[in-house]
């Protein structure tokens, strides 16, 4: 474990673009430190042939580089071990994002830097903004160039000091035009491509914004470390207090306009959740507010607090806000008079933070608070109201039948039980109605003097008031319990859904299509789509329930999966409480996409493994089969050069050279054809062709009587590439002639309803049925021991056949031998 106190410091010169002078600035700092007596050495500096930069190196000690050889080429890299052994106070390391030559101590130069710092040596390094990993996609979209060498942002973010090296785009282009950046032959191409003014301006803005975030993080760390709670207005940060009411969108848009007035401002929305856990706002409005904040480029936060005003101010102080946006209270004048308003309270507590009070349409309206609305269904509320009216009357009639002045306590208990029953059925409002009705009925019918509203005995008055208070309290508790029950059911449902998601993730059986289908069923949406970001926009990866959205803004609800994927839901907007489960779906979708990427990598690895096996087989085959004709040619040429041979011997040697050359050309053609097939470079030109045009050319070149072409003139046209088909048939015929033992090879054509079959029939030794499919694989010689073959002919023939839309197979020839069946699509045949 490295002691952080003895770890070397890291200073990064961050370039806004190539050529701004970050290496020059780094060398300038090194010279200043050396002049002050600091032990400074150069571990690795790349001057790129720039004279001014090279002049800065003079007088500084340079640690010799390590030499590495890779694929026959020699490279030089920083010698990390030599730098650590030299143990200077400061070392210069250029190009932090550089990837070392394979075989080096570390894969990346950033790892070399970490090793040097672990040895207690300070490091000064350079990196361009386009090499930061998080900005790689943005840089590619801006410049059209993908940076192959990147460094994780965390490496640069954790630097002790970051120095931005910047230059105006026009100044940098003039510097390039003067030849101070690139060589003369590269200047024009660079100025018209990567170094356009728009590209340089965008890169410069990326660098400034990235560094601003780093500075903001450093400021937050400093304020926390020094327990500074008061606001430091270093950056405009607007906090909007979202109530969840109808005015929320108005407040958010006003906050966004305020944030847009100053460059680099941030919009932050906060919603305070009551500590009792009961939702006091409409969840759908909170969901819409979240979407609106996200669309405006802000962030949405939910915090828990007993005092809403205090919670808003505490949050604003925590994020170092400069302004809080609060809406005018919707409460009536009486409540505002005695209880005050949230805006007034926030203004009192805000201290140095500005408070912006926003009027809205809802400020003049009052309505029933959401907290008074019952969570029970409308049917139960209606039934409760009916019972609150009917049951007290029925109970009164029953008690009047056996009225006794001394049974008032029993009457109170019975009416209290009735109130509890109504509360269980209909909730708070029907229970309150039953309690008030019971109070009136007992006062009129059972409290002396009866049939009047007068109560003679003060104890009876107290008893009735206690009855009402107990009834209200019990009804409130029952209503609160029903709310808790509804929340528990929802939480249990969420837990069950998340548990099912977890099990499916562990089994690894989910697909993107299954996720969007389950997401649609869980939340009752009309349709759900999974979108993927591309270079030109968005594309649909998976969708269910019909067309939903091809862009994020077309959906009703959306959630990010990762930087390049998005889930879009079309249908009823979700409650804010449902977004926890939606986030779980997003996490699972990310895992599924990762599984898909891993499977793709596995498939590519399998392809590479097969290609490696093919390459290994090729090397083994080439070592003999290509060397044989070359050796023959070399021997023949040596004999011809000697000049001591007679005409007969010379003719024989010339024939050997010609035969070997032909053999070598055939081998090389097959290798090239196989390479083109495996890389997908074969591009057939399909057209309607007659076999009379192709087959005679394919069978020509063989001695008379070795090949018999038996094709009628009435054979239908086929859809094919004439050149590729000729090569396939010539390959098959040539292979058959070599194995036919002198028996003529027959070339036939059979017409079938949808295809035309070209048959190449030989009477050779044939191929066992178990090996007839294997003989089409590359480098399969089977029992063929003839020299000059790599076993590629049939593999190339099948590949070219499939390229033109046909099939190629082998079957036994009746009476002995092998028949190659080449099936081609017939023109005019129905698909």
């Amino acid at each position: 474990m490295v002691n952080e106190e003895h770890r070397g410091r890291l200073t990064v010169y961050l370039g806004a673009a190539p050529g701004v002078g970050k290496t020059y600035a780094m060398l300038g700092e090194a010279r200043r430190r050396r002049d002050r007596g600091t032990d400074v050495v150069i571990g690795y500096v790349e001057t790129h042939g720039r004279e001014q930069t090279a002049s800065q190196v003079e007088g500084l000690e340079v640690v010799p580089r390590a030499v590495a050889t890779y694929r026959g080429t020699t490279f030089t890299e920083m010698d990390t071990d030599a730098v650590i052994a030299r143990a200077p106070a400061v070392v210069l390391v250029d190009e932090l994002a550089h990837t070392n030559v394979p075989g080096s101590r570390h894969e990346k130069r950033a790892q070399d830097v970490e090793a040097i710092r672990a040895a207690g040596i300070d490091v000064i390094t350079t990196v361009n903004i386009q090499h930061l990993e998080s900005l790689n996609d943005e840089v590619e979209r801006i410049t059209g160039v993908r940076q192959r060498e990147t460094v994780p942002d965390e490496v640069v973010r954790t630097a002790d000091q970051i120095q931005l090296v910047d230059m105006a785009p026009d100044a940098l282009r003039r510097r390039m035009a003067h030849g101070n950046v690139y060589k003369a032959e590269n200047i024009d191409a660079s100025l018209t491509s990567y170094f356009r003014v728009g590209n340089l301006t965008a890169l410069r803005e990326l660098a400034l914004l990235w560094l601003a975030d780093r500075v903001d993080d450093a400021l937050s760390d400093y304020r926390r470390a020094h327990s500074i709670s008061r606001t430091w207005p270093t950056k405009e940060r607007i906090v909007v207090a979202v109530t969840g009411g109808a005015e929320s969108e108005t407040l958010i848009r006003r906050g966004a306009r305020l944030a847009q007035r100053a460059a680099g401002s941030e919009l932050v929305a906060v919603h305070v959740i009551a500590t009792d856990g009961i939702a006091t706002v409409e969840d759908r409005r909170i969901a819409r507010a979240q979407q609106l904040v996200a669309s405006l480029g802000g962030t949405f936060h939910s915090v828990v607090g007993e005092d809403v005003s205090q919670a808003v101010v505490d949050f604003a102080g925590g994020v170092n806000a400069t302004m809080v946006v609060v809406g005018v209270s919707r409460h009536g004048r009486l409540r505002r008079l005695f209880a005050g308003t949230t805006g007034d309270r926030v203004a009192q507590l805000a201290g140095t933070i500005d408070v912006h009070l926003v009027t809205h349409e809802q400020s003049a309206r009052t309505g029933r608070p959401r907290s008074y609305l019952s969570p029970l269904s409308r049917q139960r509320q209606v039934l409760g109201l009916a019972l609150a009216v009917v049951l007290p009357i029925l109970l009164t009639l029953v008690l009047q039948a056996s009225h006794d002045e001394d049974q008032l306590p029993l009457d109170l208990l019975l009416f209290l039980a009735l109130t509890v029953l109504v509360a269980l059925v209909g909730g708070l409002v029907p229970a309150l109605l039953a309690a008030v009705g019971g109070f009136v009925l007992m006062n009129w019918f059972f409290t002396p003097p009866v049939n009047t509203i007068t109560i003679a005995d003060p104890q009876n008055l107290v008893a009735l008031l206690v009855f009402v208070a107990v009834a209200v309290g019990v009804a409130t508790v029952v209503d609160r319990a029903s709310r808790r029950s509804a929340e528990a059911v929802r939480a249990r449902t969420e837990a069950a859904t998340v548990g099912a998601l977890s099990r499916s993730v562990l089994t690894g059986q989910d697909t993107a299509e299954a996720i969007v289908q389950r997401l649609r069923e869980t939340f009752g949406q009309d349709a759900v789509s999974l979108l993927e970001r591309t270079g030109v926009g968005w594309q649909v990866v998976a969708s269910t329930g019909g067309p939903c959205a091809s862009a994020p803004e077309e959906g009703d609800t959306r959630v990010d999966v990762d930087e390049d994927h998005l889930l879009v839901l079309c249908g009823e907007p979700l409650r804010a409480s449902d977004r926890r489960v939606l986030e779980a779906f997003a996490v699972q979708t990310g895992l599924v996409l990762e599984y898909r990427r891993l499977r793709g990598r596995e498939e590519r690895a399998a392809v590479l493994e097969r290609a490696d096996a093919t390459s290994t087989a090729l090397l083994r085959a080439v070592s003999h089969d290509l060397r044989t004709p070359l050796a023959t040619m070399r021997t023949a040429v040596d004999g011809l050069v000697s000049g001591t041979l007679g005409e007969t011997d010379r003719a024989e040697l010339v024939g050997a050279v010609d035969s070997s050359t032909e053999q070598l050309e055939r081998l090389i053609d097959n290798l090239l054809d196989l390479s083109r097939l495996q890389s997908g470079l074969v591009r057939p030109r399909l057209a309607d062709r007659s076999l009379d045009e192709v087959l005679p050319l394919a069978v020509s070149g063989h001695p008379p009587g070795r090949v018999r072409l038996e094709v009628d003139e009435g054979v239908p046209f086929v859809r094919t590439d004439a050149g590729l088909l000729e090569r396939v048939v010539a390959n098959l015929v040539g292979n058959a002639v070599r194995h036919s033992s002198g028996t003529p090879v027959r070339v036939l054509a059979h017409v079938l309803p949808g295809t035309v079959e070209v048959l190449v029939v030989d009477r050779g030794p044939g191929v066992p049925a178990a090996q007839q499919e294997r003989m089409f694989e590359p480098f399969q010689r089977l029992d063929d021991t003839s020299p000059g073959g790599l076993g590629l002919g049939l593999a190339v023939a099948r590949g070219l056949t499939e390229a033109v839309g046909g099939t190629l197979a082998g079957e036994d020839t009746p009476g002995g031998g092998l028949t190659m069946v080449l099936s081609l699509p017939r023109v005019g045949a129905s698909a």
Side-chain angles (χ1 to χ4, degrees), residues 167 238 605 653 709 711 818:
M167 182 177 291
I238 311 299
L653 291 179
L709 182 60
V711 178
L818 181 68

Side-chain angles (χ1 to χ4, degrees), residues 751-820:
V751 180
L752 300 178
T755 60
V756 175
E757 291 184 346
V758 177
L759 308 180
V760 179
V761 184
D762 69 60
R763 292 291 182 178
V767 176
Q771 297 182 345
Q772 287 180 2
E773 186 62 27
R774 182 185 165 198
M775 66 182 177
F776 292 103
E777 299 178 4
F779 310 108
Q780 299 300 322
R781 300 278 295 276
L782 301 182
D783 295 330
D784 179 16
T785 58
S786 61
L790 292 176
L792 295 177
L794 292 181
V796 171
R798 170 170 278 189
L800 295 177
T801 301
E802 293 174 349
V804 299
T807 61
L808 179 62
E811 60 184 35
D812 294 332
T813 301
L818 181 68
T819 298
M820 305 300 295

Side-chain angles (χ1 to χ4, degrees), residues 678-748:
Q678 290 182 339
S679 60
L681 296 179
V682 176
R683 297 290 187 270
R685 298 180 179 179
L686 301 179
D688 297 346
R689 298 290 184 180
S690 171
L691 292 180
D692 292 336
E693 303 174 4
V694 179
L695 297 184
L697 297 175
V699 302
S700 62
H702 295 283
R706 298 298 301 272
V707 180
R708 287 162 43 188
L709 182 60
E710 305 174 9
V711 178
D712 297 335
E713 295 181 358
V715 175
F717 279 40
V718 293
R719 186 74 174 172
T720 187
D721 183 307
L724 296 181
L725 177 60
E726 179 185 339
R727 293 180 60 185
V728 171
V729 176
N731 190 315
L732 297 178
V733 171
N735 193 59
V737 168
R738 286 197 302 273
H739 295 88
S740 62
S741 303
T743 305
V745 173
R746 301 172 63 203
V747 179
L748 312 173

Side-chain angles (χ1 to χ4, degrees), residues 627-673:
R627 187 176 299 171
T628 299
L630 288 173
T632 303
M633 294 168 63
R634 179 60 182 269
T635 302
V637 170
D638 290 342
L640 292 171
V641 172
S642 66
T644 60
L645 302 176
E647 289 299 324
T648 302
D649 293 334
R650 290 176 61 85
E652 184 178 351
L653 291 179
V654 170
V657 171
D658 183 68
S659 175
S660 297
T661 302
E662 181 181 355
Q663 178 183 344
L664 189 60
E665 288 179 346
R666 185 170 63 251
L667 293 174
I668 293 175
D669 287 342
N670 282 336
L671 286 173
L672 292 176
D673 287 340

Side-chain angles (χ1 to χ4, degrees), residues 380-417:
R380 288 186 59 178
Q381 294 181 58
V382 172
L383 178 60
L385 290 173
L387 294 178
V389 174
V390 174
L391 290 182
I393 296 175
L394 293 178
L395 181 59
T396 300
L397 295 176
V398 171
L399 293 178
Q400 276 189 318
S402 59
H403 176 64
D404 186 351
E405 295 182 358
D406 295 333
Q407 68 178 19
L408 181 60
L410 177 61
D411 297 340
L412 291 174
L413 291 177
L414 291 176
F415 271 97
L416 180 60

Side-chain angles (χ1 to χ4, degrees), residues 267-289:
L267 174 65
V268 182
V270 59
H271 170 61
V272 180
I273 301 174
T275 54
D276 59 7
I278 299 178
T280 59
V281 297
E282 188 174 345
D283 292 338
R284 293 177 181 173
R285 287 178 175 170
I286 290 294
R288 287 196 295 269

Side-chain angles (χ1 to χ4, degrees), residues 437-450:
F439 174 86
V440 173
L441 291 174
M442 283 190 296
N443 180 19
W444 185 268
F445 290 105
F446 306 116
T447 304
V450 295

